[in-house]
Amino acid sequence: MTLHKRSAIGLALLLPIFLLIIFVVLIPEIWAIVMSMANYRPGAPITYAGLENYQKILGDPNFKDAFINTIRFVIFGVSLQLVFGTGVALLFSRQFWGQKLWIALILAPMAMSPAILGTTWKYLFNSEFGPINFTLYQMGIEPIYWFTQANYAFAALLLVYTWNHIPGVFILVYPALISIPPELVEAAKIDGANKLNLFWYVILPLIRPALLIALIFRTIISLRAFGEILVLTKGGPFRATEVMSIYLYKEGFVYFSWGTSAAVGVVILIVTIVIASPQIRMLSRQMMES
Amino acid sequence: MLSRRSHRLFFLLLTVFLLITAGALAQDDTTEIKVMSHPVHESAVIGGAGAEVDLSPDLVEATGISLVWETQPWPDILERTVRELALADSDISLMFLISQQYSPQVRNQLMPLNDFLESDPIENFDGIAEGMLSFVSDSEGNIYGIPMRAYGPVLFYNTALLEEAGIAEPPSTWEEYIADATAIAGRRDDGARIYGMRFEPSSVILGARAYGGGLLSGDFDILFTEEPMIQAINEAAELYAEGVIPPDFMNLVADDWLTLEQNGQVAFAVRGPTYYSNLNDPEASQVVGQIGVTTVPASETVDFDLAPGNASFWSMSIPANSADPEAAWEVIKFLSSDMAATEMARNGNAPTKLSVYEDPEFAEVNAAWVDAAAQSLLVAKPDWPAFDEQSRASDIFEEQVVLAITGQKSAEEAMADAAELIAPLLPTNE
Amino acid sequence: MTSNNMLSKITRNLPYWILLMIVVLWSIIPIYTAISSSFKIPREIFNYPPTYFPAEVTFSNFARLFEDVPEFVIALRNSAIVTFFSMVLTISVCLPAAYTFSRFKAPVFRRSAIVLIAIRMFPPLVISVPLFPILNEIGLSDSHLTLILLYTTFQSTIITLIMKAYIDGIPIEIEEAAYVDGATMYQVFSRIILPLSRPVIVATAIMVGSYAWNEFQFGFLFTSTNARTAPVLIAEMVGSLTGVQWGNVFAASVVQFVPALIFLWVIQNQLIRGMTSGATKG
């Protein structure tokens, strides 16, 4: 087989996946840029707007808040997911009787739809008859109106989101942990390392690549969080949990201002590219070297 | 990797999936049409929620059409209907929209009904209360909806809670109403909270009207920066501080309130008179037989007796993308007939035809609320007029109201900020 | 092991077991809530104080669910259709691509892999607004095909990378021997790669399947009454004739997530073993 022909076959095998990406992602993306420069509302004539939509959103204090909320949400959310995900993985690195069942149970959140998680947690957090407030009441704590005060709402949202995504970290860190050769750990113990030292100097360096990948994926996925927030808080109260994706949704599908909504999309895209580009480079190097 | 048993399980699941899929594809379509509405319209037509008449067999007999209902709660129904209208093709043939939705933008996505009305008129069209059609028409005389349900809100009160607090009579002034609600609020023996009144951010509009003010004038002039609204907001802030209204009132939606009311945790509720049947539904309610109905009183400082409530006013419209406009018109015609209007009223629908109110049987069956409802309808008007950016304006207004009520801003500041943000969204006066 | 030995082992491990139980209980709170509430009489769901076990186990919620919400069956059917075809399409698109990335070393392929990875970073929501009018224009709004294409595209990168990692592990010598025996590339692919890749195909199919089965965002934005999936309907079900019918909502939730839990059980080993090369859901 000539090299030329071989390349042609390779490209042909890649054709379907690239066709999908071109038609489903790239063309709408370009269309988003076009739309962002128009006054575009369903049921109304489309007119050219220049950069008006961008001026509108960048001048909107709510958009600035949404931007800050997004950053806050990602930093806190990802840290919590990483800490707890790693913690749970460490716990499971001891073998327990019934290990497979326990792991299945802690992975269960992965199998649930954001829609169902949202509705169920909404019930649990209900201020009038929800089990969480009842438990607090029995402990002598006044009921907390979770989705009323900005900080509580944000905390509740972080809790739910972390809960849902701990398994995502676990499935990356746990395999790295159990592949650590036991001899290394034994040797460190013989050298008199305590548990903290053992974790810090032996285990952590060995699981760092897995943690790094987890960090990348969790960041990108947290940046686009939508379903849980929509079902749980709709961005409220006082837009305290309104991240950029919710802002975009409201512009596009509540106020039906498609021009500004597309402009928000373009901004989100730029932010994502900025945050993700070092990670893309690192990831692609890793993928390609294997 | 995976064990053989797992593989077998996987392929078994796959087969089940395939069977479901195949079975589904074999299903044939019937001649039904889909209707999108709030649940109250469904219960008006088919009964349920304590109501009794099912009109659907009559509909099938008269028109050969059966309805499939797509319902969404308030306020989700608002964005859901507009999203459906934006589709090029829709499975929905008929839609129920509320008056403030008939903005120019939405009207563009509806069919004018004039041709239908001319070639195939509905029975006793002139019997529809005058003035209603103006909400669903444009300046050129195109009619986009046939009014189906309209009411002014009435004041429901929980007689058991009033008695417990030693209050014998429902309030006759706005001031009494606030005082009674404050007196009743507290905690029940089992720890459950009792609230003085149903309160949503938009409730301050009613308060402002009780004090002789309002939100916007008919010409889109801003009224909410004036004294009556400020007074209403300050009053609400006090109620909030004293726990008369729930700390999370801004998050409670209509259905949450209904649940609280049905649980007997709310003393007063301003809502549509037809919810009388929901509150007396033994399946869902713990306050059956304890609910009284009266009108919403105005302040003693003004020279009128009733506070003009938010007129809820729904019409039937045919989307421009309707799957079956002709069938939709048949259904509109049927539901607008005098017979159907009367029957739906028996199901707790608030009728738009005056003839129904004059029907002695209707008055007798609904004696509990019909007087209050009739008085209230005379003074009620929609909170918001229809314009393209109405939903955004209403969100901004309510956000500022909540900021003021929760003490993060003064009422004056909040309303000034709201005015600044809302003014550019209003249609320019011509 | 003697009983004495065992006892000391248990006491030594006790703190860890307690910790394990806390973690496990914590993880299943919402699932437990949904399941136990689905067997409660609706009034009890709102009971104050709340009950942890149903006072009286009833199946009436499930019976009423299918009576009150006939659309739920259609929504389940839509979910099944979308899930099945997303699985099939993803596998048939990604396996050839993965094979190319694994076996073809020309620079052009490396570069296209990087494009794939970059595309994965695009937030799905950003395309939703422009997609809405486009779908209207081409008559694909509210259709199964739209969801299938969206789900396939947004899963294709990660699935391709997982498959590539797997195919990398298949010794190339087997293929070389086949070529020496005069096999064509098609034969090598269908007789060697395909059968040897069966485990990764099953595992990735389940990953795509559970994503498509649970996906909410696209389903919520791009379907109406025709192609609406089960999660979307459940989120919408919080409005009905007489306030929120939590009994129905919980029953529907249980019906929806039980298949997903079974999927998870099947795929679990695969998920936690040897997929350090970046396997994750998203």
Side-chain angles (χ1 to χ4, degrees):
Chain A
M1 202 173 343
T2 66
L3 201 63
H4 192 73
K5 195 182 163 201
R6 200 176 142 79
S7 290
I9 291 173
L11 289 176
L13 291 177
L14 288 180
L15 196 62
I17 198 169
F18 275 96
L19 280 180
L20 270 181
I21 281 172
I22 287 166
F23 280 102
V24 179
V25 182
L26 280 184
I27 291 179
E29 207 61 74
I30 292 164
W31 189 235
I33 297 171
V34 175
M35 275 172 84
S36 73
M37 290 190 273
N39 287 317
Y40 191 170
R41 302 174 72 92
I46 304 167
T47 55
Y48 178 71
L51 294 177
E52 217 175 89
N53 290 325
Y54 290 95
Q55 284 165 351
K56 218 183 268 173
I57 57 163
L58 294 176
D60 182 359
N62 289 329
F63 182 73
K64 208 178 79 194
D65 289 348
F67 184 82
I68 293 168
N69 283 337
T70 310
I71 303 293
R72 265 200 324 158
F73 179 76
V74 169
I75 290 176
F76 283 112
V78 173
S79 319
L80 286 171
Q81 290 163 36
L82 284 182
V83 168
F84 283 102
T86 310
V88 173
L90 277 173
L91 177 68
F92 275 91
S93 65
R94 314 175 63 85
Q95 290 291 315
F96 290 98
W97 177 83
Q99 181 94 342
K100 190 179 175 189
L101 176 67
W102 306 130
I103 290 183
L105 289 178
I106 67 140
L107 290 184
M110 286 184 92
M112 287 179 86
S113 169
I116 286 161
L117 276 176
T119 40
T120 311
W121 279 105
K122 213 173 171 178
Y123 168 82
L124 287 166
F125 276 115
N126 186 296
S127 44
E128 298 297 335
F129 49 77
I132 293 180
N133 266 3
F134 180 73
T135 314
L136 292 176
Y137 181 67
Q138 281 191 321
M139 287 157 63
I141 300 171
E142 271 293 295
I144 293 172
Y145 288 84
W146 287 98
F147 297 121
T148 301
Q149 275 146 308
N151 288 339
Y152 283 127
F154 202 81
L157 181 67
L158 275 180
L159 184 133
V160 172
Y161 197 74
T162 305
W163 183 89
N164 191 16
H165 290 277
I166 283 175
V169 177
F170 179 87
I171 58 166
L172 290 175
V173 176
Y174 177 70
L177 272 176
I178 52 174
S179 64
I180 294 175
E183 309 85 59
L184 272 178
V185 178
E186 287 308 315
K189 273 185 185 160
I190 290 164
D191 289 346
N194 65 22
K195 283 208 167 128
L196 196 68
N197 283 335
L198 182 70
F199 176 72
W200 197 254
Y201 295 109
V202 181
I203 295 177
L204 197 59
L206 286 170
I207 60 169
R208 190 177 293 141
L211 279 176
L212 210 57
I213 290 178
L215 174 71
I216 293 170
F217 276 110
R218 284 357 285 175
T219 306
I220 286 158
I221 288 163
S222 305
L223 263 176
R224 58 172 71 151
F226 175 75
E228 287 100 333
I229 307 179
L230 185 80
V231 177
L232 212 56
T233 70
K234 281 206 167 160
F238 320 120
R239 299 174 182 261
T241 56
E242 184 170 305
V243 293
M244 283 196 288
S245 57
I246 298 286
Y247 185 95
L248 181 150
Y249 162 74
K250 277 167 116 176
E251 285 296 320
F253 297 101
V254 179
Y255 307 137
F256 290 92
S257 172
W258 283 348
T260 45
S261 183
V264 177
V266 173
V267 174
I268 294 181
L269 184 65
I270 292 169
V271 172
T272 312
I273 289 174
V274 168
I275 294 180
S277 64
Q279 302 174 335
I280 294 171
R281 224 171 307 138
M282 202 207 72
L283 200 66
S284 34
R285 209 178 318 130
Q286 206 167 14
M287 291 297 175
M288 290 308 101
E289 273 163 10
S290 62
Chain B
M1 284 282 169
L2 297 178
S3 71
R4 229 151 231 285
R5 212 178 38 174
S6 303
H7 282 199
R8 222 169 294 138
L9 186 52
F10 171 71
F11 286 113
L12 187 77
L13 282 171
L14 213 57
T15 318
V16 173
F17 256 42
L18 273 176
L19 286 177
I20 296 172
T21 316
L25 292 174
Q27 225 174 41
D28 65 330
D29 284 335
T30 57
T31 53
E32 299 155 328
I33 71 165
K34 285 186 178 164
V35 182
M36 184 171 278
S37 75
H38 186 271
V40 291
H41 308 115
E42 182 183 2
S43 71
V45 177
I46 69 159
E52 49 231 274
V53 201
D54 186 356
L55 278 175
S56 25
D58 300 314
L59 177 66
V60 173
E61 201 177 306
T63 63
I65 298 164
S66 66
L67 304 180
V68 178
W69 293 87
E70 267 299 314
T71 61
Q72 285 277 290
W74 184 268
D76 309 54
I77 183 67
L78 299 177
E79 55 183 84
R80 185 68 184 83
T81 42
V82 182
R83 188 141 48 92
E84 192 70 28
L85 287 173
L87 293 172
D89 303 293
S90 163
D91 281 2
I92 302 292
S93 297
L94 177 64
M95 235 180 227
F96 289 71
L97 299 170
I98 198 162
S99 57
Q100 70 259 29
Q101 289 187 283
Y102 288 86
S103 64
Q105 191 187 326
V106 167
R107 289 200 305 250
N108 274 340
Q109 299 172 72
L110 297 173
M111 283 186 189
L113 302 176
N114 303 49
D115 288 351
F116 284 117
L117 275 168
E118 239 160 69
S119 61
D120 191 9
I122 61 180
E123 182 193 351
N124 187 15
F125 180 67
D126 301 328
I128 294 172
E130 207 166 324
M132 284 190 184
L133 286 173
S134 68
F135 288 108
V136 290
S137 311
D138 62 17
S139 51
E140 281 131 43
N142 292 316
I143 296 172
Y144 293 93
I146 303 296
M148 178 266 185
R149 174 185 177 89
Y151 56 75
V154 294
L155 183 64
F156 285 99
Y157 55 96
N158 183 320
T159 49
L161 290 176
L162 261 69
E163 250 167 58
E164 226 171 279
I167 300 165
E169 287 282 311
S172 57
T173 65
W174 181 262
E175 285 79 5
E176 261 180 57
Y177 164 52
I178 299 294
D180 290 353
T182 311
I184 294 170
R187 217 181 246 292
R188 207 160 59 189
D189 295 338
D190 64 358
R193 292 263 201 158
I194 303 295
Y195 297 113
M197 61 171 77
R198 172 184 180 190
F199 187 91
E200 286 163 311
S202 60
S203 302
V204 294
I205 302 170
L206 179 65
R209 286 178 178 174
Y211 289 118
L215 184 76
L216 295 172
S217 78
D219 303 325
F220 295 104
D221 289 326
I222 287 174
L223 301 179
F224 56 73
T225 48
E226 292 168 14
E227 183 48 30
M229 180 63 80
I230 304 297
Q231 199 174 343
I233 292 176
N234 286 332
E235 187 176 79
E238 242 166 78
L239 295 174
Y240 173 77
E242 289 168 21
V244 180
I245 59 179
D248 58 344
F249 72 92
M250 68 295 273
N251 292 326
L252 298 183
V253 295
D255 285 333
D256 299 332
W257 278 107
L258 190 59
T259 307
L260 282 173
E261 289 163 41
Q262 289 173 333
N263 282 356
Q265 288 176 264
V266 184
F268 294 104
V270 175
R271 54 162 68 245
T274 55
Y275 281 90
Y276 190 77
S277 59
N278 297 81
L279 292 167
N280 283 296
D281 173 9
E283 292 260 316
S285 175
Q286 299 172 23
V287 294
V288 177
Q290 296 177 12
I291 296 297
V293 184
T294 184
T295 48
V296 187
S299 160
E300 49 194 31
T301 60
V302 294
D303 57 2
F304 48 88
D305 296 331
L306 302 187
N310 178 22
S312 281
F313 161 40
W314 294 85
S315 303
M316 299 177 275
S317 287
I318 306 180
N321 59 10
S322 171
D324 192 346
E326 281 72 29
W329 181 252
E330 289 296 319
V331 175
I332 292 179
K333 247 175 52 187
F334 174 82
L335 292 179
S336 311
S337 68
D338 284 358
M339 180 281 285
T342 312
E343 294 293 306
M344 289 194 295
R346 285 174 58 197
N347 277 346
N349 186 46
T352 51
K353 284 204 164 176
L354 298 171
S355 58
V356 180
Y357 279 103
E358 286 151 14
D359 183 87
E361 196 199 321
F362 173 73
E364 198 191 307
V365 172
N366 298 303
W369 54 266
V370 86
D371 274 354
Q375 290 181 53
S376 156
L377 187 58
L378 284 176
V379 296
K381 50 192 176 194
D383 278 357
W384 288 92
F387 55 100
D388 284 350
E389 290 274 31
Q390 186 270 329
S391 58
R392 192 196 295 270
S394 131
D395 279 1
I396 292 171
F397 175 75
E398 293 188 5
E399 267 167 41
Q400 295 296 331
V401 166
V402 170
L403 287 172
I405 291 179
T406 53
Q408 305 181 43
K409 269 183 184 179
S410 75
E412 287 84 357
E413 261 180 277
M415 288 302 99
D417 291 350
E420 200 189 322
L421 293 166
I422 290 174
L425 304 177
L426 297 173
T428 42
N429 299 337
E430 275 146 50
Chain C
M1 200 185 290
T2 68
S3 64
N4 217 355
N5 215 336
M6 206 142 133
L7 199 70
S8 81
K9 201 178 168 191
I10 286 172
T11 47
R12 194 155 32 87
N13 283 333
L14 195 62
Y16 294 104
W17 273 98
I18 292 171
L19 207 57
L20 175 78
M21 284 304 122
I22 292 172
V23 170
V24 167
L25 283 179
W26 165 249
S27 297
I28 60 170
I29 287 173
I31 298 162
Y32 177 75
T33 307
I35 293 175
S36 79
S37 303
S38 71
F39 291 108
K40 287 177 184 172
I41 295 165
R43 231 177 313 115
E44 197 192 331
I45 299 174
F46 286 96
N47 228 26
Y48 195 91
T51 51
Y52 296 102
F53 299 99
E56 185 189 325
V57 173
T58 170
F59 291 91
S60 65
N61 289 322
F62 292 91
R64 231 201 7 259
L65 166 67
F66 291 100
E67 205 174 283
D68 285 2
V69 198
E71 309 93 284
F72 187 63
V73 182
I74 298 166
L76 278 179
R77 173 196 102 182
N78 288 338
S79 278
I81 293 172
V82 169
T83 301
F84 176 72
F85 286 104
S86 298
M87 280 156 66
V88 172
L89 188 60
T90 310
I91 301 304
S92 34
V93 164
C94 294
L95 196 62
Y99 181 70
T100 310
F101 288 133
S102 175
R103 294 294 191 248
F104 291 61
K105 297 299 182 193
V108 59
F109 297 116
R110 283 164 186 244
R111 249 173 267 135
S112 44
I114 293 168
V115 172
L116 269 190
I117 294 169
I119 299 287
R120 177 167 161 76
M121 309 298 169
F122 279 33
L125 195 62
V126 174
I127 63 153
S128 61
V129 171
L131 212 50
F132 201 91
I134 292 177
L135 290 173
N136 269 342
E137 212 53 52
I138 56 179
L140 275 183
S141 50
D142 195 12
S143 72
H144 298 124
L145 183 59
T146 302
L147 291 185
I148 294 166
L149 291 177
L150 282 167
Y151 295 165
T152 303
T153 308
F154 278 91
Q155 288 293 294
S156 61
T157 307
I158 193 68
I159 299 299
T160 305
L161 294 177
I162 292 169
M163 286 177 165
K164 173 195 177 280
Y166 185 86
I167 297 173
D168 283 344
I170 302 176
I172 195 157
E173 290 78 22
I174 306 179
E175 285 170 61
E176 281 163 357
Y179 283 126
V180 170
D181 292 347
T184 64
M185 191 159 161
Y186 171 75
Q187 285 168 331
V188 168
F189 187 79
S190 64
R191 303 248 175 91
I192 298 174
I193 299 299
L194 208 56
L196 284 176
S197 305
R198 203 170 82 147
V200 79
I201 291 173
V202 171
T204 50
I206 294 177
M207 284 176 73
V208 176
S210 68
Y211 166 80
W213 182 253
N214 285 328
E215 206 278 345
F216 173 67
Q217 181 174 318
F218 286 135
F220 174 68
L221 293 176
F222 292 122
T223 66
S224 171
T225 57
N226 183 38
R228 176 174 45 197
T229 56
V232 178
L233 182 70
I234 292 171
E236 282 184 355
M237 260 170 60
V238 285
S240 66
L241 286 177
T242 46
V244 182
Q245 299 278 16
W246 282 101
N248 288 352
V249 173
F250 284 127
S253 301
V254 170
V255 172
Q256 196 273 347
F257 70 61
V258 163
L261 284 177
I262 297 173
F263 269 0
L264 183 80
W265 178 259
V266 174
I267 201 192
Q268 182 189 338
N269 286 344
Q270 173 69 10
L271 265 180
I272 57 173
R273 208 182 292 154
M275 285 216 295
T276 38
S277 56
T280 181
K281 83 163 196 170

